[in-house]
Amino acid sequence: MPPNAQQPTTDESNVIDDAKTSVTVAVHQLFERYANKPADNLGPDRIGPHGVLELLEDLGIGSTDRKVLILAWLLKAKIQCEFTADEWNDGLVALGVVSIDDLRMVLEKEERILEKDASKLKTLYRFTYTFGKPEHHRKMDCETAIVYWKILFEDRYALLDAWTLFLRVQQIDVIKSDVWNLVLEFFEQIDANLSNYDDEAAWPVLLTDFVEHIRKEKCAVGAA
Amino acid sequence: MLLCHHYREETSHVVMMNHRQGGAPSSSGQSAGRMRIRSIPTAMDEKYVTSIWELLKKAIQEIQRKNNSGLSFEELYRNAYTMVLHKHGDRLYIGLRGVIEEHMRANIRPCIEEAIEVKMEVHLLETLISVWNDHTTAMVMIRDILMYMDRVYVSQQKVEPVYNLGLSIFKDEIIRWDLVNERLRREMLDMVTRERQGEQIDWILLKHGSTMLSALGIYEAEFEQHFLSESAQYYKRMGLEFLAENSAAEYVKRVETCIREENDRAQRYLDSSTRAKILAVVDSELIEVHMKSVVEMDGSGVSHMLNVNLLADLQRMYTVFHRVTNGTQVICQAVSSWVRQRGEEITHPENQQEELKKDPVLYITRLMELEERSETLLRDAFQEDKMFKKRIYDDFTHFINLNNHSAEYLTIFLDEKLRKGNRVLREAEIDEAVNRCMTLFRFLGEKDIFEQYYKRALAKRLLTDRSASDDSEKAMVSRLKTECGYQYTSKLENMFKDRELWNTIQAGFRDYLNVYDNRMERDPCEIVVRVLTSGVWPTQNITLTCSLPIHAEQSWKSFQDFYQKKHSGRKLTLNTFLGNADVKAVFFNPLRSANDDSSQQEEPTPSQGPYRPQHFTENHKILNVSTHQMTVLLCFNTKNVFKYSELGDATNITERELQKTMQSLSMGKASQRILVRKGTTAKEIAQNDEFYVNDSFTSKLVRIKVSTIADAKSSTPKEAAVLKERVEDDRKHEIECAIVRVMKSRKRLEHNNLLTEVLYQTSTRFKPTPTAIKQRVEALIERDYLARDKKDPKIYEYVS
């Protein structure tokens, strides 16, 4: 390297700038494709639900696919089925995505990473709560929570169905953030047959009730 | 006896020899002390040695034959010394042994054989002791003669000293010969058995026997071992016999006796080491094996003793069983279950006697009796044993808390003592009762419920001036403060503070009236107001105030003005559920004319003006009524007849209260019926029922107290529910405060530790379940007082 090449030369910086601008331009163009749909009626600075739907079609992912959540998370979206221009631009530029194909690949890659990286998953999980509940509410309502759990976990955890049933039977209306957070830990740590559940530990009351419930059922089944 | 003479070794052998032959004394002085001349022992010839030995041998035999008087100690000693000095110690020693053995075999054994032949009861023992004594005496003398050999030869050759040699030979040749040891043992053990069965025996013989065996070093193997095992068998049998024949108390007495006897026996004639061992055997066979059966014996065991209060027997059992490990534990167990049973008879919701369900005072009294009884037992029978104390304490805690009315009943009991009632109690009696109550109070798990009930009862007493003794009341409160801390009693003390101010405020009001207000002159309705600080007194929340009659209203306003001047920031609300009034009433008793056949009083109708019967006499009375009653009655100054619903509108008294008020005024005893209800006699008052003044009202008294519907002694289920709710809310608050307190000081704490800390903090008032605490923790997390640690959700952090 030439001795006075610590700083990029005007030429090189131009190249970088060019590269940058071309990315920004591409991203912006992508934004334009989905934003400002008349059906959404949200103005030129947002992609609305219809736009999102089209985006998903182009990406080839279903609306209940986990990758939707991942996308929202990566873009740090605030409101469901909406992306602001800033969210979109900043997010995609940071990811280095310039086309739909790029986006698709990134999402798939991220999904695979999440399968392995527990702490990242935790971040996504916690994000989901804030994202999934209405903006100015403190708590998420139960049905929404159930939907998101299904999206996030699919069939990974055997206890999820029992949990869902329990919540509905008990007519739980609202899931507090504390409970939401610990549900992940619960599913990750506790066996399907509850063998390693510690009564003395600090699980929220709702979870302890759930465990009680399962145990009672087991007894009833065993007796029958 | 022989003299004891000891030659000095330094004396030269040669010199001595010369001395004997009568030769001129050489320079013995020279060698005798200053210089040590090592003498070369001249060889002694065989014949000489033999002759010396023969001399000694004969002498020894004579000693053994007890013919020692003619012997010269000095000569014998000298001879022995000579032999040893000339290195013939071997011969001497071996020879000695031979002689002793010979003596045993030739002389002693026949004796023994004869003794055995005779087969008399203790003949063998006697004979043995006799020969033993002879032998030991002889051996002492022999030892003295041969002392030089002991000192020099024995220690060099490391063989047994002379005396011990004698003992060994006796042991081997006599005791361990021909089963003498077994026969001996048998004789001795039989003697013991006979003594146990009550015979007199020659125990001195036994003592000597023990001593002999000990000296021979075979006491344990030959005697003690067998003694202990036979005794164990004996007591095994005896144990079963005792058990079969006797009551528990008798059994214990027997055991005591056996212990005493064995102790005595061991001290008298057995080796000292045996005492502890035989007592251990007795303890084991008589106590350890059977203690459970004895304690649980039907009809005479601990249970029975407790029922009939046999304190002495219990104490004896305790002392005796204390000897073995876990002995007292068995008793403790039995006592504990008895106490628990008695307790549950009183408190268990299903098991308790009928009468106790309705009578709180009896319930508490019974508990106190049981408590006192337990204290007596502990003191007199069980020597304040800590284990017993704790057990009984736990039992009381258990059954008192089985019944969740315990706290309430206790307050009712206390109320009875502290209230002015029919029985006038002296202060000492009240204090005694309070003491007993505090003892029971300590067992309560839910002390906060007690506080609620006590507060209510105290408030009632104070407001209706029914306290028997102020000092006793205050003493009680300070007792509670000592037990539970300042917070517990702060409200109670505030009630007293309020009360103390009443007179002061009233006096101030009077002055105020004289100076400022002439309203009172216009409408003299004297009012006495007691001011209660809200939140301190457990009175109901007043949502609707009833509309007071005009005069009362004016007086009330007057007081309010006065009070506001004094305390401008405070708001006064009149509680019309309390308080009473003296109402002047004029009844126009109708006179019955001779023509008047109607048995019923004429009824007034609404349309008339003030109703008067045709002929009447005025009957002036003063009625002491409650505030609500007053309000209702004064309505009748405006109209003759009122419907129930109209009264409701006019007075604004709440429905339930109005029912009660109307019932008390119209449906009570004849001497209480101020109003008449038209038409029906149904229990419930209907909206359209009509009322008018009972002008026929008469009474012997001029001033009549009209009673209100009294509250039941113990709370109705509804009241109990209200109280319970209040307690629950209080508890939630308490738990949260405790959690915050703990977290504030610890900053970070693990879940289980937090639970422990909170339990400790609330323990003086009640015991929250872990779930309850968890719920409060979650609530606090919701409200951002606490947060979970991001990495480990079991740890909580304080959010400042």
Side-chain angles (χ1 to χ4, degrees):
Chain A
M1 275 289 243
N4 55 345
Q6 275 95 24
Q7 292 166 350
T9 58
T10 340
D11 278 341
E12 285 185 27
S13 65
N14 279 340
V15 170
I16 292 172
D17 278 343
D18 283 340
K20 264 207 210 151
T21 33
S22 69
V23 167
T24 323
V25 164
V27 164
H28 195 73
Q29 278 176 345
L30 219 47
F31 184 75
E32 293 291 309
R33 213 204 285 184
Y34 301 107
N36 208 9
K37 296 276 171 197
D40 288 330
N41 201 17
L42 287 170
D45 291 331
R46 288 177 184 265
I47 302 178
H50 285 82
V52 170
L53 219 58
E54 214 185 293
L55 171 63
L56 294 182
E57 265 176 43
D58 290 344
L59 283 171
I61 50 182
S63 55
T64 56
D65 191 312
R66 207 182 315 172
K67 299 201 245 306
V68 182
L69 257 181
I70 298 176
L71 176 61
W73 173 56
L74 288 172
L75 297 190
K76 304 194 179 40
K78 278 238 170 58
I79 303 178
Q80 298 176 62
C81 299
E82 276 185 33
F83 295 111
T84 64
D86 287 334
E87 287 169 359
W88 180 268
N89 291 335
D90 294 340
L92 288 187
V93 167
L95 290 170
V97 161
V98 292
S99 70
I100 290 298
D101 288 329
D102 281 349
L103 188 54
R104 191 184 308 124
M105 272 189 353
V106 163
L107 288 178
E108 280 170 9
K109 187 172 126 210
E110 204 58 40
E111 193 172 18
R112 280 198 298 281
I113 293 177
L114 282 168
E115 306 248 322
K116 311 230 175 75
D117 187 337
S119 64
K120 258 204 164 169
L121 180 63
K122 201 168 179 179
T123 334
L124 168 64
Y125 183 76
R126 293 207 173 187
F127 165 81
T128 309
Y129 187 81
T130 332
F131 175 72
K133 69 171 169 58
E135 199 180 345
H136 297 293
H137 287 208
R138 284 210 69 174
K139 304 180 199 172
M140 189 190 265
D141 85 283
C142 194
E143 285 300 319
T144 318
I146 292 175
V147 167
Y148 276 114
W149 278 322
K150 197 73 188 173
I151 293 179
L152 284 164
F153 299 140
E154 287 172 4
D155 292 324
R156 187 188 290 188
Y157 300 118
L159 284 173
L160 180 59
D161 285 339
W163 172 244
T164 314
L165 185 61
F166 171 77
L167 290 173
R168 286 185 174 139
V169 163
Q170 298 292 324
Q171 299 183 329
I172 305 294
D173 287 326
V174 146
I175 301 289
K176 295 188 280 198
S177 72
D178 186 50
V179 174
W180 171 269
N181 289 341
L182 286 176
V183 163
L184 177 66
E185 316 255 348
F186 184 82
F187 282 145
E188 279 180 344
Q189 286 176 24
I190 305 294
D191 290 342
N193 59 358
L194 302 176
S195 60
N196 58 344
Y197 178 79
D198 181 7
D199 283 320
E200 307 278 311
W203 300 110
V205 174
L206 200 55
L207 280 171
T208 28
D209 288 347
F210 172 58
V211 170
E212 268 306 304
H213 175 81
I214 299 274
R215 283 181 178 158
K216 257 190 244 162
E217 299 246 300
K218 268 211 199 120
C219 279
V221 167
Chain B
M1 278 304 287
L2 302 178
L3 288 169
C4 283
H5 237 76
H6 296 274
Y7 285 85
R8 286 183 4 215
E9 295 88 294
E10 286 90 69
T11 312
S12 158
H13 177 74
V14 174
V15 168
M16 194 179 77
M17 289 282 283
N18 286 342
H19 192 76
R20 268 189 75 120
Q21 285 159 14
S26 63
S27 49
S28 54
Q30 238 182 343
S31 61
R34 272 179 281 129
M35 291 191 303
R36 284 162 212 256
I37 296 169
R38 204 170 286 185
S39 61
I40 302 149
T42 52
M44 264 173 119
D45 60 23
E46 186 54 31
K47 260 204 337 206
Y48 189 50
V49 172
T50 312
S51 68
I52 296 183
W53 166 242
E54 287 301 317
L55 194 70
L56 282 171
K57 178 172 167 180
K58 260 210 192 74
I60 291 172
Q61 283 169 337
E62 285 305 301
I63 292 176
Q64 286 171 333
R65 277 191 276 264
K66 306 201 229 186
N67 288 340
N68 50 290
S69 47
L71 303 170
S72 157
F73 172 80
E74 188 246 314
E75 188 185 344
L76 295 169
Y77 183 90
R78 211 178 343 116
N79 280 326
Y81 167 81
T82 309
M83 274 190 84
V84 175
L85 194 67
H86 286 263
K87 308 273 185 233
H88 293 294
D90 281 346
R91 181 118 178 247
L92 181 55
Y93 194 84
I94 290 166
L96 172 67
R97 183 193 285 146
V99 171
I100 302 178
E101 283 175 359
E102 177 64 34
H103 178 68
M104 296 288 120
R105 289 172 194 163
N107 302 330
I108 306 296
R109 281 188 189 177
C111 248
I112 303 296
E113 272 176 337
E114 213 188 294
I116 293 177
E117 289 293 306
V118 171
K119 286 194 199 313
M120 241 171 62
E121 264 183 14
V122 292
H123 208 66
L124 175 58
L125 178 60
E126 256 178 331
T127 316
L128 262 177
I129 300 234
S130 154
V131 303
W132 162 259
N133 285 336
D134 290 342
H135 179 64
T136 44
T137 314
M139 285 312 303
V140 167
M141 285 191 249
I142 297 171
R143 177 199 63 197
D144 284 347
I145 299 173
L146 303 179
M147 208 175 287
Y148 186 75
M149 182 176 71
D150 253 352
R151 276 217 291 257
V152 175
Y153 175 79
V154 162
S155 50
Q156 273 176 1
Q157 302 299 321
K158 301 207 196 313
V159 290
E160 269 187 292
V162 170
Y163 186 79
N164 295 20
L165 179 67
L167 294 188
S168 297
I169 295 175
F170 185 88
K171 177 178 68 178
D172 294 331
E173 298 297 323
I174 303 298
I175 303 291
R176 295 253 165 98
W177 164 73
D178 192 27
L179 303 177
V180 167
N181 54 350
E182 282 188 22
R183 291 182 217 266
L184 172 63
R185 187 192 312 150
R186 191 71 265 137
E187 264 187 35
M188 289 172 82
L189 288 176
D190 284 349
M191 283 175 84
V192 171
T193 311
R194 289 208 310 276
E195 191 185 49
R196 283 187 178 142
Q197 286 165 349
E199 271 184 49
Q200 295 271 39
I201 57 165
D202 185 354
W203 57 267
I204 299 198
L205 263 184
L206 271 175
K207 186 173 164 84
H208 289 318
S210 303
T211 321
M212 173 180 76
L213 291 172
S214 294
L216 289 173
I218 51 173
Y219 174 76
E220 266 168 51
E222 294 297 334
F223 176 73
E224 193 189 59
Q225 202 178 322
H226 303 270
F227 169 70
L228 288 175
S229 81
E230 271 198 23
S231 302
Q233 292 303 317
Y234 175 77
Y235 278 113
K236 238 194 224 353
R237 243 185 18 254
M238 293 315 286
L240 291 170
E241 263 182 47
F242 287 172
L243 211 54
E245 292 168 9
N246 291 296
S247 69
E250 279 304 311
Y251 182 91
V252 176
K253 279 194 189 135
R254 289 289 198 96
V255 174
E256 253 190 347
T257 314
C258 287
I259 292 175
R260 220 180 11 249
E261 280 178 6
E262 290 299 328
N263 187 47
D264 184 48
R265 176 169 304 119
Q267 278 180 327
R268 263 186 298 138
Y269 55 74
L270 299 177
D271 189 270
S272 58
S273 62
T274 312
R275 191 175 78 99
K277 294 179 194 164
I278 182 61
L279 288 180
V281 166
V282 176
D283 286 345
S284 167
E285 293 301 330
L286 289 185
I287 306 179
E288 245 179 291
V289 172
H290 296 295
M291 57 189 184
K292 204 147 185 287
S293 323
V294 172
V295 163
E296 291 171 7
M297 203 183 274
D298 251 349
S300 69
V302 168
S303 195
H304 167 78
M305 291 183 191
L306 288 168
N307 282 337
V308 187
N309 224 17
L310 300 173
L311 289 174
D313 288 337
L314 283 166
Q315 188 180 34
R316 186 177 302 113
M317 189 187 280
Y318 176 80
T319 321
V320 168
F321 283 26
H322 195 63
R323 297 171 63 88
V324 303
T325 41
N326 297 339
T328 48
Q329 218 156 305
V330 186
I331 303 180
C332 187
Q333 179 63 35
V335 171
S336 166
S337 27
W338 182 86
V339 166
R340 219 172 249 237
Q341 258 187 352
R342 298 287 87 69
E344 285 188 13
E345 270 168 22
I346 303 174
T347 65
H348 198 294
E350 285 159 34
N351 294 346
Q352 67 179 174
Q353 300 158 322
E354 273 312 301
E355 50 183 356
L356 292 173
K357 288 201 181 132
K358 312 262 180 57
D359 192 341
V361 175
L362 188 58
Y363 176 95
I364 298 292
T365 315
R366 286 276 167 79
L367 280 176
M368 285 183 176
E369 284 166 7
L370 185 59
E371 209 278 319
E372 259 191 82
R373 234 172 131 190
S374 305
E375 276 185 24
T376 314
L377 276 173
L378 272 174
R379 190 187 57 228
D380 293 340
F382 302 128
Q383 299 173 15
E384 305 283 353
D385 186 309
K386 283 210 175 71
M387 169 174 65
F388 280 68
K389 230 180 188 164
K390 177 153 199 313
R391 238 359 229 294
I392 294 182
Y393 187 92
D394 288 343
D395 291 329
F396 266 85
T397 312
H398 164 79
F399 61 68
I400 283 186
N401 289 307
L402 269 183
N403 187 323
N404 54 10
H405 290 297
S406 290
E408 194 195 334
Y409 289 176
L410 193 55
T411 55
I412 293 173
F413 182 86
L414 276 167
D415 187 57
E416 188 132 314
K417 298 290 171 226
L418 292 167
R419 186 157 50 94
K420 265 186 230 167
N422 296 325
R423 286 181 57 219
V424 176
L425 296 171
R426 291 195 316 276
E427 222 165 274
E429 285 179 328
I430 301 182
D431 287 341
E432 171 65 28
V434 165
N435 268 333
R436 296 238 141 262
C437 282
M438 287 315 291
T439 321
L440 289 183
F441 175 78
R442 280 185 204 110
F443 295 121
L444 286 177
E446 302 187 302
K447 294 189 172 74
D448 55 349
I449 292 190
F450 178 89
E451 191 210 345
Q452 290 285 349
Y453 279 108
Y454 189 78
K455 201 158 57 163
R456 210 174 57 159
L458 176 63
K460 219 186 245 177
R461 287 200 296 278
L462 293 178
L463 289 173
T464 55
D465 293 313
R466 305 217 74 196
S467 280
S469 151
D470 252 19
D471 286 337
S472 297
E473 294 276 10
K474 298 221 176 115
M476 178 70 200
V477 173
S478 80
R479 291 298 293 274
L480 288 173
K481 185 150 79 167
T482 322
E483 280 294 319
C484 298
Y486 159 72
Q487 261 194 335
Y488 191 81
T489 52
S490 59
K491 291 216 184 96
L492 302 174
E493 293 188 325
N494 285 334
M495 283 201 261
F496 282 108
K497 280 200 195 120
D498 273 357
R499 189 177 70 145
E500 264 139 50
L501 289 175
W502 290 340
N503 287 334
T504 324
I505 293 181
Q506 197 58 31
F509 181 52
R510 206 154 285 148
D511 293 338
Y512 165 85
L513 289 175
N514 291 336
V515 176
Y516 287 103
D517 201 42
N518 58 2
R519 235 180 289 173
M520 295 312 288
E521 289 174 319
R522 280 180 288 142
D523 313 275
C525 172
E526 199 183 306
I527 189 170
V528 174
V529 178
R530 288 181 173 172
V531 180
L532 313 177
T533 312
S534 69
V536 166
W537 296 75
T539 43
Q540 299 151 294
N541 290 326
I542 317 299
T543 42
L544 299 163
T545 41
C546 85
S547 310
L548 293 175
I550 299 179
H551 305 308
E553 185 69 37
Q554 279 176 335
S555 302
W556 167 235
K557 275 231 166 52
S558 191
F559 182 85
Q560 278 182 303
D561 289 339
F562 154 72
Y563 195 80
Q564 295 300 147
K565 279 210 176 72
K566 272 192 114 182
H567 305 279
S568 57
R570 299 187 189 174
K571 181 163 173 281
L572 286 179
T573 315
L574 188 67
N575 182 343
T576 53
F577 284 79
L578 303 167
N580 56 42
D582 283 337
V583 175
K584 275 198 212 143
V586 183
F587 294 96
F588 299 98
N589 297 138
L591 291 174
R592 296 203 195 251
S593 56
N595 305 334
D596 199 334
D597 287 329
S598 65
S599 47
Q600 253 187 322
Q601 178 192 335
E602 252 179 64
E603 288 178 358
T605 58
S607 54
Q608 290 173 330
Y611 168 77
R612 299 282 180 269
Q614 257 195 329
H615 305 281
F616 60 86
T617 51
E618 281 187 10
N619 194 348
H620 294 251
K621 298 284 181 213
I622 296 180
L623 304 172
N624 179 259
V625 292
S626 75
T627 312
H628 288 153
Q629 286 169 333
M630 165 190 78
T631 313
V632 165
L633 288 177
L634 258 59
C635 290
F636 287 88
N637 282 340
T638 58
K639 223 165 67 162
N640 291 324
V641 180
F642 275 91
K643 281 208 184 91
Y644 180 74
S645 53
E646 287 169 340
L647 283 172
D649 294 333
T651 62
N652 272 325
I653 297 176
T654 54
E655 171 62 24
R656 184 156 173 270
E657 185 62 18
L658 190 59
Q659 279 275 335
K660 278 164 67 178
T661 313
M662 297 315 295
Q663 282 174 353
S664 63
L665 288 172
S666 62
M667 288 160 63
K669 294 187 285 189
S671 58
Q672 297 266 306
R673 230 174 271 184
I674 312 296
L675 296 178
V676 178
R677 186 164 66 144
K678 236 194 210 173
T680 55
T681 47
K683 218 167 179 205
E684 277 283 314
I685 300 177
Q687 291 297 319
N688 286 327
D689 282 357
E690 292 184 325
F691 292 88
Y692 54 86
V693 176
N694 179 14
D695 270 308
S696 305
F697 181 80
T698 52
S699 170
K700 279 179 285 187
L701 308 162
V702 173
R703 189 166 182 276
I704 301 132
K705 183 164 179 356
V706 181
S707 48
T708 47
I709 308 282
D711 289 325
K713 218 179 203 169
S714 46
S715 43
T716 58
K718 187 158 171 249
E719 283 179 331
V722 167
L723 219 81
K724 189 79 192 185
E725 212 191 296
R726 211 176 280 176
V727 167
E728 282 303 317
D729 288 337
D730 264 354
R731 284 182 179 180
K732 280 197 189 136
H733 185 68
E734 280 284 325
I735 298 176
E736 288 191 356
C737 286
I739 296 174
V740 171
R741 254 200 311 275
V742 170
M743 290 307 298
K744 201 166 181 183
S745 78
R746 304 295 210 94
K747 302 291 179 211
R748 276 172 64 89
L749 199 55
E750 197 251 338
H751 175 79
N752 282 328
N753 292 337
L754 178 61
L755 285 186
T756 317
E757 292 278 336
V758 169
L759 271 171
Y760 175 72
Q761 293 253 342
T762 54
S763 61
T764 49
R765 289 175 67 83
F766 65 99
K767 192 161 182 253
T769 60
T771 314
I773 302 179
K774 232 203 238 187
Q775 281 173 330
R776 295 293 103 217
V777 168
E778 283 181 24
L780 287 172
I781 292 180
E782 265 302 294
R783 282 154 39 207
D784 290 328
Y785 279 89
L786 300 180
R788 285 185 204 263
D789 180 299
K790 297 215 175 25
K791 296 202 198 84
D792 184 357
K794 273 210 292 292
I795 299 184
Y796 302 110
E797 289 177 334
Y798 181 69
V799 178
S800 34

